[in-house]
Amino acid sequence: MTRFALTVEYDGRPFMGWQRQAHGPSVQQAIEDAAATITGEAVTCHAAGRTDAGVHALGMRAHVEIAKPIEPFRLMEALNARLRPAPVAVLACEIVADDWHARFSCLGRAYEYRIANRRAPLTFEKGLAWQVPQVLDADAMDDAAQVLVGRHDFTTFRSAHCQSASPVKTLARLDVARDGDRVTVRAAARSFLHHQVRSMVGCLAMVGMGRWTRDDLADALAATDRQRLGLNAPPDGLFFVEAVY
Amino acid sequence: MTRFALTVEYDGRPFMGWQRQAHGPSVQQAIEDAAATITGEAVTCHAAGRTDAGVHALGMRAHVEIAKPIEPFRLMEALNARLRPAPVAVLACEIVADDWHARFSCLGRAYEYRIANRRAPLTFEKGLAWQVPQVLDADAMDDAAQVLVGRHDFTTFRSAHCQSASPVKTLARLDVARDGDRVTVRAAARSFLHHQVRSMVGCLAMVGMGRWTRDDLADALAATDRQRLGLNAPPDGLFFVEAVY
């Protein structure tokens, strides 16, 4: 068996999420089905992060194990040919050691969250950004974001369905920057809780709207209580950007 | 009658182009129908440029004349509400003088052409960029592009259906720049011939692939012969960016 690491880009709009589901299309199934067609083998694809329905990836990392001899470049081209017309593309493919695991070997994950801070309805970015009509104070958001950086119990920012053993995570980076009517939140950590990025972004938007102060955010974090969450941002604006090994 | 200038963004993928057509949806019809619903009047919408099928706009300028008293902000909001779910959004709306004309008062037009220079199929940008798998030399393209800048007979770069009185145009700017796997061509002129930007981009891509030199491009221009066109780029990557008054 040869293990291949894949770098995958996908538009999450038509998918129920990364993970294979009985009731709808998933990115995992699209890749596994394409790999099975190429190899004649039942292939399992593991990813660095299992994104939710409607969440996107610019650089998801994943791996597959294949018995049939095939060059990485050929595998990538064959996967891309069979993935069409699904909006999933393999950007890179390389052979890795048998103990390299897309999820368990991953040392860091980076997400980007895109807010379209405008009144006009979205055209190109429908489903690819969160439209917030109220003017956001991105500097205030960036300032408040620093409250969340570091090692904390992120229970307030954790979905009820989160399967993580512990709510304690170390947030390495949380930045907010404006470029025209685009407000981008960038988050990096070794790992995240389920819905953590969307929950943090939702609360930062509360700050940006002037409905929360930096102290309100700090209080919500300290409360370690999901009921204290201000707002959970929709999946639309969330992009898995990078996995570090 | 009050004349309103509109700034319009649209995703050209579902449209037959700007101009109203008997056989399919157009951006002009979408706006005119929305305006008619709001005002109860038959409204005609004139644009700075009549983009082709599949061509997009980030900042098209247009105007409408309306008898019913209405504030510009209210008109914009009402248009956006009625344009949904079509991917057309009015970004700005202001009252202008009765002799202001979106097309005839326009002193300059700027386009952007997006090339996705990568092997992997497009996901987010399907229909929003021209995918070119061969590695393009963007510096060579930028260098060759300068051959086209200035006042020339652009017959080689003109569609057979072009209705312009003269093939002589003054190209103010034609730049090519790479950012990662994105190669962007920016063009500005008082006005363009039909298919001129796409034809120039197609020939610049020939240069980028190493199939044409800068001299080949100069020869094609000097020939003033449509048969000498190297390549016409698809509509997908073309965006109307700005109209200057």
Side-chain angles (χ1 to χ4, degrees), chain A residues 174-185:
Chain A
L174 190 65
D175 295 338
V176 185
R178 174 183 288 279
D179 178 15
D181 65 10
R182 156 68 45 82
V183 173
T184 305
V185 183

Side-chain angles (χ1 to χ4, degrees), chain B:
Chain B
M1 299 286 272
T2 305
R3 192 168 283 212
F4 297 89
L6 310 174
T7 304
V8 186
E9 174 187 278
Y10 54 86
D11 177 343
R13 286 178 289 188
F15 296 108
M16 304 297 297
W18 167 268
Q19 204 161 16
R20 189 180 269 272
Q21 305 280 344
H23 59 294
S26 62
V27 182
Q28 184 183 18
Q29 184 184 356
I31 297 172
E32 288 176 354
D33 289 357
T37 309
I38 297 161
T39 61
E41 304 166 34
V43 176
T44 303
C45 186
H46 299 271
R50 288 164 299 177
T51 54
D52 279 334
V55 174
H56 321 286
L58 301 176
M60 177 58 76
R61 294 297 291 278
H63 78 262
V64 290
E65 269 196 331
I66 292 173
K68 178 182 174 173
I70 186 166
E71 291 297 313
F73 182 77
R74 276 270 344 269
L75 176 61
M76 177 173 71
E77 296 278 288
L79 284 171
N80 282 334
R82 278 156 190 84
L83 282 163
R84 287 175 205 257
V88 180
V90 180
L91 305 182
C93 178
E94 55 179 335
I95 294 175
V96 287
D98 286 351
D99 63 350
W100 189 93
H101 195 289
R103 183 173 172 201
F104 300 120
S105 306
C106 181
L107 302 176
R109 293 159 173 94
Y111 284 90
E112 180 177 303
Y113 194 99
R114 301 179 182 172
I115 300 174
N117 193 200
R118 62 187 237 175
R119 285 196 67 81
L122 301 185
T123 59
F124 302 103
E125 292 201 296
K126 210 173 285 180
L128 298 174
W130 177 24
Q131 188 201 355
V132 176
Q134 304 96 314
V135 177
L136 295 173
D137 181 339
D139 290 337
M141 291 168 71
D142 186 59
D143 179 58
Q146 306 324 309
V147 159
L148 302 176
V149 173
R151 184 176 159 88
H152 302 287
D153 180 329
F154 282 99
T155 296
T156 304
F157 303 91
R158 178 190 202 182
S159 144
H161 303 106
C162 183
Q163 291 169 17
S164 178
S166 160
V168 177
K169 294 286 175 190
T170 301
L171 184 61
R173 179 187 172 193
L174 190 64
D175 295 339
V176 185
R178 173 182 289 279
D179 178 15
D181 66 9
R182 156 67 46 83
V183 173
T184 305
V185 182
R186 291 188 177 83
R190 185 177 175 102
S191 63
F192 291 91
L193 299 169
H194 190 228
H195 280 192
Q196 186 181 344
V197 179
R198 289 167 53 189
S199 296
M200 294 191 303
V201 169
C203 292
L204 289 176
M206 297 276 287
V207 173
M209 293 171 194
R211 290 164 59 190
W212 268 23
T213 63
R214 177 186 166 116
D215 287 347
D216 291 331
L217 184 65
D219 289 348
L221 173 67
T224 63
D225 175 2
R226 182 70 178 167
Q227 302 302 317
R228 295 289 299 277
L229 183 74
L231 198 61
N232 196 32
D236 311 46
L238 188 58
F239 292 73
F240 186 101
V241 172
E242 193 188 4
V244 180
Y245 294 90

Side-chain angles (χ1 to χ4, degrees), chain A residues 48-70:
Chain A
R50 288 164 299 176
T51 53
D52 279 334
V55 173
H56 321 285
L58 300 176
M60 178 58 76
R61 295 296 291 277
H63 78 262
V64 290
E65 270 197 330
I66 291 173
K68 179 183 173 172
I70 186 167

Side-chain angles (χ1 to χ4, degrees), chain A residues 113-123 125-136 181-183 201 205 209 231 233-238, chain B residues 9 77 80 84 89-91:
Chain A
Y113 194 98
R114 299 179 183 172
I115 300 174
N117 193 199
R118 62 186 238 175
R119 284 197 67 82
L122 301 185
T123 59
E125 292 202 296
K126 209 173 286 182
L128 298 174
W130 178 25
Q131 188 201 354
V132 176
Q134 304 95 314
V135 176
L136 296 172
D181 65 10
R182 156 68 45 82
V183 173
V201 169
M209 293 170 196
L231 197 62
D236 311 47
L238 188 58
Chain B
E9 174 187 278
E77 296 278 288
N80 282 334
R84 287 175 205 257
V90 180
L91 305 182

Side-chain angles (χ1 to χ4, degrees), chain A residues 206-226:
Chain A
M206 298 275 288
V207 173
M209 293 170 196
R211 290 164 58 189
W212 269 22
T213 64
R214 177 186 166 115
D215 287 346
D216 291 330
L217 184 64
D219 290 348
L221 173 67
T224 63
D225 176 1
R226 182 69 178 168

Side-chain angles (χ1 to χ4, degrees), chain A residues 2 17 19 49 51 72 83-84 110 112 117 123 137-138 150 159-160 179 194 201-202 217 222 226 243:
Chain A
T2 306
Q19 204 161 16
T51 53
L83 282 164
R84 287 174 205 259
E112 179 177 303
N117 193 199
T123 59
D137 182 339
S159 144
D179 178 15
H194 189 226
V201 169
L217 184 64
R226 182 69 178 168

